[in-house]
Amino acid sequence: MVPFLLANKRGVIYVSGSTMGSNKGCVRFTFARENENNIHEGIRRFADALRNG
């Protein structure tokens, strides 16, 4: 799991999936107010935090 602060430094905020009833170890993102390009960029940044810490 990506520590919240590592993702936050990249401008990505997420919550634990278990907060919303998902399985432990999952994360939840909201896309309701973003355009498609920003969504792709957020996923890229989150993946970078996963890979590089």
Side-chain angles (χ1 to χ4, degrees), residues 12-53:
V12 178
I13 297 174
Y14 69 92
V15 296
S16 168
S18 61
T19 301
M20 304 298 238
S22 295
N23 294 333
K24 185 177 180 179
C26 296
V27 296
R28 300 273 272 188
F29 299 96
T30 183
F31 306 113
R33 295 187 175 185
E34 287 298 335
N35 66 49
E36 189 173 343
N37 290 333
N38 287 344
I39 292 169
H40 289 289
E41 178 63 17
I43 292 169
R44 187 196 67 73
R45 291 179 186 187
F46 187 78
D48 182 58
L50 270 174
R51 283 191 288 266
N52 302 311

Side-chain angles (χ1 to χ4, degrees), residues 3-14:
F4 182 81
L5 292 176
L6 289 175
N8 190 271
K9 285 181 182 179
R10 290 169 173 82
V12 178
I13 297 174
Y14 69 92

